[in-house]
């Protein structure tokens, strides 16, 4: 029994030893792992510190390469920095630096769904595999090392240096300024904004005051109605000489016996609105004349009542006229002889009409009323469907394009004051109801500095987006740009102008014929200008721009963004392409240009353009092409010879 305590002690030691081993087995792995982790952590930290230094070196190398030249730097892709001599280069693909893999990924920056060619996203990554696979990354946005500089062409001198094909350059601000613009036209005629009366005028017979005019190519038709001292009608032949020679006007025949208020001319017949109550419309046969060059009457239309023939318009075998506050429609016989019968339709108007134009199935009338200056009549129902009230003066004249009757150009009697317009462009697209004046499309014939206001008598629209307003007082002949409704030219004809009409002759040259109060030369011709030809398409290629001319260390140029302010009326289109080329012997003279557009997948077959109408802007990013010689090319087209798109200015941003 005495050995029992000894066994107990040995048993306790064994238990204690087992406990120690158990504790050691649980603690030692953690201690060993911590020791190993501590050793790897120091190594990983050292790798990360080294990688960070390499990352900064790669960023600086990328910046340095950017400063050498943006054109090369702006190529997207994956690269790595490489020291070549004393300069950094970016070589294709990933690369190794001191055992670390380095990649520099350059990609485009998109702002508002458009690539920004002056900014690049640069993602730099440094990675390593020991002691553990790891990487660090930085993202930077690099821009061109110099500010974007703007090269702008907007003056007539700028545009005159370009190459024109069926386009022409004119002064957009009149002859007092050098602001220029490019538009469709033959380019051999005078500028509408610089009118003159150098073409020989024609004296109509007797001493009558001409007050009515109509024209077709090669012929003008004039009537007198302000007094009884003149002839009723004069047929004027207009020669169509070769290019560079002014036309001439010759009196080829007359007709008398009535006081004429309105005239409408065709190749074989002229239609006169007269003050003869039994023959308010007299039809003159232009096919034959007597030995004294006098025409005879072919037929007539007798309107109901005892009024006068105030206006006349003919479309095919249907005639339209107004007498007092009535619009009448009547059928014309094939040979126009004798009475043309009774009206086939009648519409009641607000008041008497001063001008009547028919387009399609609608009649548009300038009304002698201060409450409704324009009325629109549906000729199928002979009912007034639309009207316009523009001021408190009476309607005097209007113009409606035969190809697009969605707008009416209306003038009223003078509204005294510099803030009271007399010329309006009215939206008639909806036809029915009260028609609004288009926003900003009004014009006052009395401008600051004028001797006095002009009382308008007539308006006509000419090519090149211009309107010609004529009348009495102040500047009696005024040229108005329709894009901004500003005057760009004028003439002072003190005898006053009673009517005007525009015409494009068979040689695609445009003229305005006017009839004045000058009894010794009533009929006058004013030559049209750029845009005066009837060209439906044309191009303008700019002069060559070399931005490096002004920078001594410039070898290549990075062109960035283009912007062009244009005027694009409905039915017209303007589009652009650009070209960048390398100089030859450090000169841009004689280099070959390939013009390109906005589509990266089809550069040569695409264009920079806009679908917007009116005053608008074309924007786009210039294709990234090495070079420093720059040109742009504008393409003009129109489906309406009365309208042309206009290039007002062109700007390209670049960085040398």
């Amino acid at each position: 029994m005495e050995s029992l305590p000894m066994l107990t002690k040995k048993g306790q030691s064994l238990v204690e030893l087992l406990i120690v081993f158990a504790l050691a087995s649980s603690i030692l792995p953690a201690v060993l792992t911590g020791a190993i982790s501590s050793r790897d952590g120091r190594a990983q930290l050292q790798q990360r510190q080294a990688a960070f230094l390499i990352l900064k070196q790669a960023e600086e190398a990328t910046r340095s390469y950017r400063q050498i030249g943006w054109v090369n730097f702006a190529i997207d892709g994956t690269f790595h920095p490489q020291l070549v001599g004393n300069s950094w280069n970016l070589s294709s693909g990933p690369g190794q630096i001191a055992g670390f893999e380095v990649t520099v990924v350059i990609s485009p920056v998109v702002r508002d769904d458009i690539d920004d060619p002056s900014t690049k996203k640069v993602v730099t990554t440094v990675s390593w595999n020991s002691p553990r696979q790891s990487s660090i990354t930085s993202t930077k946005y690099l821009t061109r090392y110099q500010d974007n500089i703007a090269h702008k062409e907007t003056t007539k001198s700028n545009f005159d240096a370009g190459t024109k094909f069926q386009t022409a350059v004119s002064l957009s601000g009149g002859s007092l300024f050098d602001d220029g613009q490019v538009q469709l036209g033959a380019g051999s005629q005078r500028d509408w904004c610089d009118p003159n009366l150098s073409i020989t005028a024609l004296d109509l017979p007797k001493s009558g005051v001409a007050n009515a005019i109509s024209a077709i190519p090669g012929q003008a038709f004039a009537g007198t109605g302000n007094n009884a001292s003149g002839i009723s009608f004069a047929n004027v032949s207009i020669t169509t000489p070769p290019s560079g020679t002014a036309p001439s006007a010759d009196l080829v025949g007359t007709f008398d016996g009535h006081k004429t208020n309105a005239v409408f001319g065709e190749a074989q017949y002229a239609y006169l609105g007269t003050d003869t109550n039994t023959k308010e419309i007299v039809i003159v046969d232009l096919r034959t004349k007597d030995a004294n060059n006098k025409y005879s009457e072919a037929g007539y239309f007798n309107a109901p009542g005892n009024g006068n023939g105030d206006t006349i318009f003919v479309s095919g075998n249907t005639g339209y006229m107004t007498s007092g506050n009535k619009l009448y429609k009547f059928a014309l016989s094939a040979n126009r002889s004798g009475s043309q019968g009774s009206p086939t339709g009648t519409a009641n108007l607000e008041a008497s009409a001063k001008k009547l134009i028919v387009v399609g199935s609608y009649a548009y009338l300038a009304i002698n009323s201060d409450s409704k200056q324009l009325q629109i009549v549906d000729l199928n129902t002979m009912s007034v469907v639309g009207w316009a009230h523009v001021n408190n003066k009476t309607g005097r004249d209007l113009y409606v394009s035969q190809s697009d009757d969605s707008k009416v150009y209306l003038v009223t009697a003078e509204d005294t004051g510099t803030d009271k317009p007399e010329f309006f462009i009215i939206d008639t697209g909806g036809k029915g109801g009260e028609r609004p004046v288009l926003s900003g499309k009004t014009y006052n014939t009395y401008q600051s500095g004028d001797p006095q206001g002009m009382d308008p008598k007539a308006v006509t629209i000419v090519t090149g987006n211009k309107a010609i307003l004529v009348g009495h007082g102040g500047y009696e002949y005024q040229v108005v740009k329709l894009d901004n409704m500003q005057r760009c030219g004028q003439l002072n004809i003190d005898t006053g102008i009673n009517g005007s009409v525009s015409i494009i002759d068979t040689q695609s040259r445009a003229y305005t014929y006017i009839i004045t109060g000058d009894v010794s030369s009533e009929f006058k011709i004013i030559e049209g200008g750029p845009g005066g030809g009837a060209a439906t398409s044309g191009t303008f290629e700019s002069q060559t721009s070399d931005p490096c001319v002004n920078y001594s260390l410039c070898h290549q140029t990075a062109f960035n963004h283009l912007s062009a302010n244009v005027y694009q009326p409905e039915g017209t289109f303007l589009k652009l392409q650009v070209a960048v080329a390398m100089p030859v012997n450090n000169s841009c003279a004689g280099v070959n240009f390939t013009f390109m557009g906005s589509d990266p997948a089809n550069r040569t077959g695409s264009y920079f353009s806009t679908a917007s109408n009116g005053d608008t802007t074309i924007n786009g990013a210039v294709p990234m092409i090495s070079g420093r010689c720059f040109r742009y090319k504008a393409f003009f087209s129109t489906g309406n010879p009365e309208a042309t798109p206009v290039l007002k200015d062109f700007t390209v941003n670049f960085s040398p």
Side-chain angles (χ1 to χ4, degrees):
M1 297 299 294
E2 293 180 357
S3 61
L4 189 59
M6 181 62 69
L7 291 173
T8 301
K9 290 178 180 180
K10 289 182 179 180
Q12 290 175 339
S13 297
L14 180 60
V15 171
E16 291 172 351
L17 185 59
L18 291 173
I19 293 172
V20 169
F21 283 148
L23 291 172
S25 65
S26 63
I27 295 173
L28 282 176
V31 172
L32 291 173
T33 300
I36 294 171
S37 296
S38 177
R39 183 191 65 189
D40 286 352
R42 284 194 295 272
Q44 180 73 354
L45 179 61
Q46 290 173 353
Q47 287 288 78
R48 182 174 291 276
Q49 289 173 340
F52 181 77
L53 293 176
I54 292 173
L55 181 71
K56 290 301 178 184
Q57 184 182 47
E59 289 177 344
E60 291 304 315
T62 304
R63 286 194 183 93
S64 176
Y65 185 68
R66 182 273 314 268
Q67 288 180 270
I68 293 174
W70 178 264
V71 173
N72 292 330
F73 172 77
I75 299 175
D76 300 332
T78 301
F79 308 90
H80 69 274
Q82 185 176 25
L83 193 62
V84 179
N86 295 323
S87 301
W88 284 103
N89 189 20
L90 288 182
S91 299
S92 180
Q96 296 288 322
I97 298 179
F100 292 84
E101 183 176 272
V102 181
T103 61
V104 177
V105 178
I106 301 175
S107 60
V109 173
V110 178
R111 306 180 194 276
D112 298 326
D113 297 326
I114 299 176
D115 286 349
D116 179 1
S118 288
T119 306
K120 289 294 179 180
K121 180 181 180 181
V122 180
V123 178
T124 306
T125 302
V126 178
S127 59
W128 65 95
N129 295 321
S130 176
R132 294 197 307 273
Q133 188 174 20
S134 303
S135 65
I136 57 174
T137 300
S138 73
T139 300
K140 305 287 184 182
Y141 291 88
L142 298 184
T143 58
R144 297 179 178 178
Y145 73 96
Q146 289 192 12
D147 292 335
N148 284 325
I149 303 168
H151 169 75
K152 185 173 185 178
E153 292 195 353
T154 186
T155 67
K156 185 175 184 297
S157 303
N158 294 150
F159 294 134
D160 278 338
T163 302
K164 299 169 284 292
F165 174 71
Q166 296 192 155
T167 56
V169 177
S170 68
L171 289 167
S172 63
S175 58
L176 300 179
F177 307 98
D178 192 30
D179 294 332
Q181 60 185 24
V182 186
Q183 61 218 3
L184 282 171
S188 62
Q189 299 146 317
R190 295 190 59 83
D191 189 343
W192 281 120
C193 296
D194 184 23
N196 68 41
L197 295 172
S198 60
I199 298 176
T200 302
L202 177 66
D203 180 17
L204 300 180
K206 299 186 178 181
S207 300
V209 177
N211 71 331
I213 187 168
S214 175
I216 60 175
Q219 282 180 275
F221 313 96
T224 61
N226 281 8
N227 60 33
S229 300
I231 57 171
S232 300
F233 168 77
N235 185 13
V236 179
S237 174
I238 311 295
T239 62
T240 307
S243 178
T245 304
S248 60
D250 297 293
L251 181 66
V252 295
T254 63
F255 176 80
D256 210 354
H258 305 274
K259 188 175 178 180
T260 304
N261 301 322
V263 62
F264 185 93
E266 297 178 327
Q268 295 182 341
Y269 299 99
Y271 305 82
L272 311 182
T274 78
D275 64 350
T276 303
N277 294 336
T278 58
K279 295 182 178 181
E280 285 88 354
I281 300 298
V282 173
I283 306 173
V284 180
D285 189 344
L286 303 180
R287 295 172 298 177
T288 59
K289 54 188 176 181
D290 64 19
N292 296 316
N293 291 326
K294 294 185 180 296
Y295 299 114
S296 60
E297 177 183 307
Y300 64 92
F301 172 71
N302 182 17
N306 295 317
N308 297 327
D310 298 323
T311 66
I312 176 64
F313 194 95
V314 174
S315 178
N317 287 322
T318 304
Y320 305 89
M321 62 87 67
T322 61
S323 179
N325 67 338
K326 304 288 186 180
L327 168 65
Y328 296 106
K329 177 170 65 171
F330 58 97
L332 290 165
S333 62
N335 58 8
R336 306 306 197 251
S337 64
S339 172
Q340 301 301 296
S342 301
T344 57
T346 304
N348 294 319
L349 305 174
E350 178 78 10
S352 62
K354 301 294 287 184
K355 184 63 174 286
L356 162 66
I357 294 179
V358 173
V359 180
S361 58
Y362 293 93
Y364 301 83
L365 302 104
I367 302 297
N368 189 30
S369 165
D370 57 11
S371 60
K372 292 181 180 178
Q373 292 82 16
L374 166 71
Q375 288 192 292
I376 304 172
V377 175
D378 185 333
L379 297 174
N380 293 317
T381 62
M382 292 303 289
S383 60
V384 175
V385 294
W387 66 91
H389 175 234
V390 296
N391 57 18
N392 294 323
K393 299 298 179 177
T394 59
R396 285 283 178 77
D397 192 25
L398 56 78
Y399 180 95
V400 185
S401 171
Q402 297 294 299
S403 60
D404 176 17
D405 60 346
S406 64
K407 292 188 290 291
V408 164
Y409 305 84
L410 174 74
V411 292
T412 70
E414 182 181 6
D415 200 354
T416 307
T418 58
D419 60 342
K420 296 180 179 180
E422 297 94 356
F423 175 44
F424 308 86
I425 302 180
I426 301 171
D427 179 3
T428 56
K431 301 294 187 292
E434 184 170 3
R435 307 312 306 159
V437 175
L438 291 171
S439 177
K441 296 304 182 180
T442 64
Y443 170 79
N444 193 326
T445 60
Y446 182 29
Q447 302 287 309
S448 177
D450 287 358
Q452 66 182 83
M454 186 252 277
D455 185 19
K457 299 296 183 182
V459 59
T460 186
I461 306 302
V462 297
T463 53
N465 304 314
K466 306 291 193 303
I468 308 296
L469 276 63
V470 300
H472 291 204
Y475 289 109
E476 291 86 357
Y477 182 100
Q478 299 185 15
V479 185
V480 180
K481 298 185 297 177
L482 296 177
D483 55 351
N484 58 15
M485 301 301 284
Q486 294 182 4
R487 186 193 306 171
C488 67
Q490 67 269 325
L491 286 172
N492 193 343
I493 302 176
D494 289 335
T495 55
I497 304 175
N498 298 321
S500 66
V501 63
S502 62
I503 195 72
I504 297 174
D505 69 12
T506 57
Q507 297 296 317
S508 297
R509 293 172 298 192
Y511 302 94
T512 298
Y513 305 147
I514 62 175
I515 46 174
T516 74
D518 186 350
V519 295
S520 63
S521 56
E522 297 94 335
F523 184 86
K524 303 178 190 294
I525 302 175
I526 298 178
E527 188 176 14
T536 58
S537 64
T539 60
F540 171 80
E541 187 172 327
S542 74
Q543 61 184 317
T544 301
S545 301
D546 181 6
C548 281
V549 169
N550 298 319
Y551 299 91
S552 59
L553 299 179
C554 177
H555 302 290
Q556 293 188 73
T557 302
F559 294 95
N560 171 19
H561 186 269
L562 66 88
S563 177
N565 288 314
V566 304
Y567 177 59
Q568 192 167 271
E570 291 182 14
T572 72
F573 198 58
L574 194 156
K575 55 189 180 181
L576 300 166
Q577 287 186 324
V578 296
V580 180
M582 291 295 294
V584 177
N585 297 325
N586 201 36
S587 172
C588 288
V591 300
N592 294 320
F593 289 97
T594 300
F595 289 94
M596 299 184 179
S598 58
D599 185 358
N602 184 23
R603 285 296 191 190
T604 57
S606 61
Y607 303 88
F608 300 93
S609 62
T610 177
S612 300
N613 290 321
D615 286 307
T616 184
T617 303
I618 297 175
N619 289 297
V622 177
M624 282 294 176
I625 304 171
S626 297
R628 81 181 202 206
C629 307
F630 180 87
R631 279 190 185 183
Y632 66 90
K633 191 171 184 178
F635 300 81
F636 299 75
S637 62
T638 180
N640 179 1
E642 295 167 356
T644 172
V646 177
L647 174 64
K648 296 182 176 181
D649 59 57
F650 180 92
T651 301
V652 61
N653 291 334
F654 65 92
S655 180

